[in-house]
Amino acid sequence: MTQEYGKGTSLSYNKYLKVRELIELQETLSEPKSHDELLFIIIHQTYELWFKQILHEVDATVGWINEGRMFRANHSLKAVIAIERILVKQIHILETMAPIGFLEFRDKLNPASGFQSMQFRELEFSSGAKDERILNSFKNDDFAFERLSKRFDSPSLADAFWALVERQGLASGSHDEKVAAVVEILTHPETYPELYNMQDLLIEHDELIVAWRYNHIQMVERMLGMKRGTGGSEGVGYLKTTLGKKFFPELWEARTYLTVNSLKDAQ
Ligand code: HEM
């Protein structure tokens, strides 16, 4: 029990989880040390760890969908959603940082920005929102560019879902057919229980990322007002333009066309 960290051969909690390495990973830049910088680093690192886990689940989900294992895929999507609910709320911890406390070290961060979060972009790309301009903005970061290029060129979660819908004989690729397929699934949940659950989980994934964007924008405005971002964007004005991004636009659009008549027609 008294074994020192790193000595001896038996496993310990600290050894297994690399706690020593973990708590050495927060290197503050402010001089003199600004109290709030540690919180700023820890919250970002925590987000990045959860992004890693979400990517792990999304990658596995794509594989399971391709194998037709809908129950298993839905189970992983539930994990994605549970994590994202935390991510949406977690942003509020940053709001305990006083705006003046943030300004003590903000200049040191230039030109780094959340805009460059490789894993957030991986999450967007692998879910279905690919953007070549964003990919190219990573050209000077070989490690990130390679990972993002791979995701850019691989089928996304959205692609896997639509291929599954197609294999079930509900659509054959066009936008309108995808929308019609979702109307059909929404109209007959008991005929397509796993597909129904899947579209519900996917739309929630979409919704939670928008909720995260919204909370992030509110937090940024509370912290910075309308100042420009360290990444060089306009700041809040730019961030608001991202609110319309959707991974599964057809799932949303189908709600517009859903009527009780689609049910009556089928009866
Ligand atoms: C005081 C805290 C924060 C401030 C003031 C802030 C500010 C900003 C600003 C102004 C941008 C626009 C790009 C730019 O010009 O820099 C941005 C983008 C971004 N930030 Fe933050 N941020 C904060 C915390 C966080 C946290 C905790 C995360 C978690 C990962 C995060 C993730 C992102 C992401 C992913 C983007 C890109 C969004 C997009 O382009 O769709 N930020 N942030």
Side-chain angles (χ1 to χ4, degrees):
M1 280 307 218
T2 54
Q3 200 164 44
E4 249 185 85
Y5 176 87
K7 285 193 184 162
T9 49
S10 62
L11 195 60
S12 71
Y13 175 96
N14 293 327
K15 226 189 233 185
Y16 177 57
L17 296 169
K18 301 202 185 302
V19 175
R20 180 165 151 188
E21 290 86 340
L22 193 61
I23 62 174
E24 280 173 359
L25 289 175
Q26 295 71 42
E27 286 179 24
T28 52
L29 291 177
S30 54
E31 206 55 68
K33 260 192 193 321
S34 169
H35 176 82
D36 289 331
E37 194 180 352
L38 183 63
L39 171 65
F40 185 81
I41 294 175
I42 285 182
I43 201 141
H44 281 87
Q45 289 185 340
T46 311
Y47 269 108
E48 291 295 337
L49 284 176
W50 283 126
F51 290 158
K52 177 173 179 174
Q53 181 63 25
I54 293 176
L55 288 168
H56 180 60
E57 299 291 356
V58 168
D59 288 343
T61 301
V62 169
W64 284 314
I65 292 178
N66 292 342
E67 289 169 19
R69 295 176 61 187
M70 286 192 258
F71 178 85
R72 187 62 190 88
N74 283 344
H75 197 72
S76 264
L77 286 173
K78 279 187 197 158
V80 168
I81 283 162
I83 297 167
E84 287 173 348
R85 289 211 180 103
I86 297 294
L87 297 189
V88 170
K89 291 203 170 163
Q90 191 173 282
I91 209 85
H92 296 307
I93 305 175
L94 256 185
E95 290 171 339
T96 65
M97 176 170 76
I100 197 73
F102 179 47
L103 293 181
E104 279 176 21
F105 62 90
R106 181 172 186 249
D107 282 351
K108 293 268 183 203
L109 308 177
N110 256 321
S113 160
F115 190 86
Q116 301 153 339
S117 167
M118 169 188 78
Q119 292 199 107
F120 183 78
R121 298 314 183 187
E122 284 186 79
L123 175 57
E124 285 186 320
F125 287 12
S126 63
S127 295
K130 297 179 181 177
D131 183 331
E132 204 163 355
R133 282 166 309 173
I134 289 183
L135 172 66
N136 288 334
S137 73
F138 285 85
K139 276 233 156 98
N140 293 328
D141 179 343
D142 291 347
F143 180 71
F145 188 71
E146 199 179 310
R147 285 175 62 119
L148 282 161
S149 300
K150 215 165 141 196
R151 292 203 180 270
F152 195 84
D153 296 332
S154 307
S156 65
L157 184 57
D159 295 328
F161 175 70
W162 295 118
L164 172 71
V165 170
E166 204 171 322
R167 285 198 301 279
Q168 305 276 317
L170 285 171
S172 59
S174 80
H175 170 85
D176 289 357
E177 275 190 305
K178 286 177 183 169
V179 174
V182 179
V183 171
E184 167 70 10
I185 295 165
L186 293 178
T187 309
H188 306 289
E190 290 181 71
T191 312
Y192 313 100
E194 299 291 17
L195 277 179
Y196 184 91
N197 286 338
M198 192 172 284
Q199 65 74 36
D200 225 19
L201 292 162
L202 293 176
I203 205 167
E204 194 156 352
H205 171 44
D206 230 350
E207 183 176 304
L208 285 166
I209 294 297
V210 178
W212 178 85
R213 290 186 198 278
Y214 183 78
N215 279 6
H216 172 258
I217 294 172
Q218 295 306 118
M219 181 277 296
V220 173
E221 187 167 357
R222 187 163 161 179
M223 213 53 75
L224 290 182
M226 300 310 274
K227 289 192 185 85
R228 292 188 76 81
T230 48
S233 85
E234 207 188 305
V236 167
Y238 157 70
L239 289 169
K240 283 187 176 162
T241 67
T242 67
L243 280 172
K245 276 196 180 182
K246 292 228 160 56
F247 303 140
F248 313 100
E250 298 88 350
L251 293 186
W252 297 89
E253 200 179 324
R255 271 69 182 170
T256 308
Y257 297 106
L258 186 69
T259 64
V260 281
N261 288 337
S262 50
L263 184 58
K264 280 193 203 125
D265 290 349
Q267 279 171 345

